Amino acid sequence: MRTIAEHIARASREARDLVLVTIMESKGSTPRHAGSQMLVDENGLACGTIGGGAVEAHAIKEARGMLGENLSLVENMELKLASKKGLNMPCGGDATLLYTPVNASDTHWRDAAREMLRCIDQRIPSYLVVKCSEGGQSSESTVALLDANGAPLAGEHGMQASLIAGLEHRAVIDGRFVMPVSLPTRAIVFGGGHVGCATVSALSRVGFCCTLFDCRPEFAQHSRVPEAHDVILGDYDNIAASLTLDKHDFVIIMTHTHRSDYALLGQVLRQPLAYVGLMGSRRKIATGRELMLNAGISEEAIDAVHMPIGLDIAAETPEEIAVSVAAECIMRRAEMRRGAGESQ
C-alpha cells in the first residue's frame, strides 16, 4: 500500500486524476486475492497489480474511462470459460472489483495519502474507507483514513467511524468498503557484509521493511545498503539497548563471527518471533544447538529456527544466498497471512 499512497500523493501534487482498482472479494482460483490494488492513470497502469492478464487489461480499460469522474463502480466478474459475465478465463473463480476515482482536486484523498504514508512508516494500524455501491454506481466517491479505534485520521469525517472499531479484516459497512492498511513485515538483518547487504536488497524488493544491524561503524552505513529502511550501529551482545523486537518480526542472523551469531541467537530465542534464520555450516549449527540448550532455551524454540537459512537451491554467491533467504521469508509470510485470514 505504500507505493499506492506515494503515487496518490504525487498525482495530487501534479494535478493528475487516477482511479484506484481494488479486489473487494475473491472466491475460488483467481490471479490475486481480495485486498490487491492497482492505480490507473491516463496512460494505463500506474502502479500495483490485480493479477495481470485479461482481468487487469479489462479493469485498466474500464478505469481509464472513469478518470475525472465522481462515481464509484462495483463489478462482479466470473473467471470461467464460456461465462456470460466474465472474460472466458480458465481460472475458475470469481472476483468483485471496486473502481474508485481519485481526483487531483479531492483534498480528502491528498490528506488520506499523506497520513497513510505516516502510518506505514511508523507502523501504526489504520483503515482505508471508501464509498462503494454493491449494485452499480454511487453519486459520491469519498475517502477516509481511520485509526484502530475508528477515529478519523484524515479525509471525510462523517463515516460512522465507530462501526469499524475492532474490525480485523475487510468488510462492506453501510455502503463503504473498509480494509486495513497493510503494514510491511519488518526484517532485521544482523550483519552488514556481502551476504547481509544482498539479503536486505532482495527482501526490500519483495515488500519487507528492512533494518540492518551491525556492530562495526564502517559496515553500519546507509550508503552501503540504501534499500534499508533503518541502519543501526549496535552491540551484538545487547541488542535490546538499541532495538525492540516483536512477534511479527523476521530475524536473519549472518554476522562476521560465530560468536556474534550465537550471542544473537541466545537473545532472540527468548521471545516469540515470526521467523528466525541462522546462516552457517552443519558443524556451526550443531554447536549452536548445544549452546542454546545449555543456555536453557527449549528444544521447541531451537527447532523453529531456520538453520541453515534459506531454501535449498544450492546457492553459493551472496546474491544467490539472498534469493534463497528471500524465498523462504516470502513462504513464511504467506503462511502467516493464510493463518490470519489475510490476503494482499
Side-chain angles (χ1 to χ4, degrees):
M1 271 194 175
R2 181 175 230 295
T3 304
I4 295 286
E6 287 175 339
H7 271 76
I8 291 173
R10 187 180 308 120
S12 177
R13 294 193 299 268
E14 297 172 354
R16 292 188 296 109
D17 295 331
L18 302 167
V19 172
L20 177 65
V21 184
T22 305
I23 301 180
M24 291 177 62
E25 185 179 4
S26 63
K27 296 179 181 178
S29 179
T30 56
R32 292 204 73 192
H33 298 296
S36 300
Q37 293 181 311
M38 70 176 182
L39 279 172
V40 176
D41 61 16
E42 67 276 10
N43 297 315
L45 180 64
C47 72
T49 178
I50 59 170
V55 172
E56 193 159 287
H58 166 85
I60 290 172
K61 181 179 179 181
E62 188 75 39
R64 290 180 72 182
M66 297 174 61
L67 287 167
E69 295 186 3
N70 197 30
L71 299 169
S72 63
L73 171 68
V74 174
E75 182 179 29
N76 298 310
M77 302 187 67
E78 295 180 357
L79 308 183
K80 301 178 177 70
L81 293 173
S83 171
K84 294 181 180 179
K85 298 181 180 181
L87 300 172
N88 199 35
M89 294 180 64
C91 300
D94 301 310
T96 301
L97 304 184
L98 171 62
Y99 299 82
T100 307
V102 182
N103 295 331
S105 60
D106 190 338
T107 58
H108 288 155
W109 269 110
R110 180 199 64 198
D111 296 342
R114 183 189 308 144
E115 191 67 10
M116 199 185 310
L117 288 170
R118 184 185 71 84
C119 289
I120 291 171
D121 285 341
Q122 298 180 17
R123 302 176 67 79
I124 299 171
S126 61
Y127 294 86
L128 182 66
V129 184
V130 294
K131 275 201 170 184
C132 64
S133 173
E134 294 187 281
Q137 296 182 332
S138 64
S139 59
E140 297 180 78
S141 177
T142 55
V143 62
L145 190 74
L146 311 177
D147 70 13
N149 296 314
L153 294 172
E156 223 291 311
H157 286 191
M159 289 194 172
Q160 299 184 28
S162 61
L163 293 177
I164 77 154
L167 183 69
E168 294 183 1
H169 306 300
R170 296 165 300 276
V172 176
I173 301 175
D174 285 353
R176 296 171 177 88
F177 181 59
V178 183
M179 65 180 294
V181 173
S182 57
L183 300 178
T185 302
R186 186 171 66 159
I188 300 94
V189 178
F190 289 98
H194 296 309
V195 180
C197 289
T199 299
V200 168
S201 179
L203 287 171
S204 297
R205 288 177 180 148
V206 291
F208 286 85
C209 180
C210 293
T211 293
L212 179 70
F213 189 113
D214 204 297
C215 68
R216 302 164 294 175
E218 66 272 26
F219 284 83
Q221 298 288 335
H222 213 290
S223 59
R224 297 188 70 252
V225 55
E227 299 93 342
H229 185 269
D230 291 307
V231 175
I232 296 175
L233 173 62
D235 183 356
Y236 285 151
D237 292 320
N238 183 20
I239 61 174
S242 50
L243 178 69
T244 300
L245 301 173
D246 66 44
K247 65 181 180 179
H248 304 291
D249 287 334
F250 283 50
V251 168
I252 293 124
I253 300 173
M254 43 181 59
T255 75
H256 62 297
T257 70
H258 290 196
R259 182 198 168 281
S260 296
D261 286 348
Y262 298 146
L264 289 164
L265 193 60
Q267 293 170 78
V268 303
L269 289 186
R270 298 186 184 279
Q271 66 181 100
L273 293 163
Y275 170 97
V276 178
L278 173 68
M279 187 173 72
S281 64
R282 291 179 180 177
R283 175 177 290 186
K284 175 182 175 181
I285 289 166
T287 301
R289 287 185 62 89
E290 183 178 354
L291 289 171
M292 295 306 106
L293 287 170
N294 291 340
I297 295 172
S298 70
E299 283 197 53
E300 181 182 8
I302 297 169
D303 289 341
V305 179
H306 296 260
M307 50 184 181
I309 196 170
L311 299 184
D312 186 4
I313 58 172
E316 293 187 6
T317 68
E319 292 75 19
E320 289 174 346
I321 295 170
V323 168
S324 75
V325 174
E328 188 169 71
C329 290
I330 290 169
M331 186 166 63
R332 174 60 184 139
R333 182 176 61 182
E335 291 170 353
M336 293 168 58
R337 288 174 177 167
R338 284 195 295 269
E342 296 178 0
S343 300
Q344 288 192 41

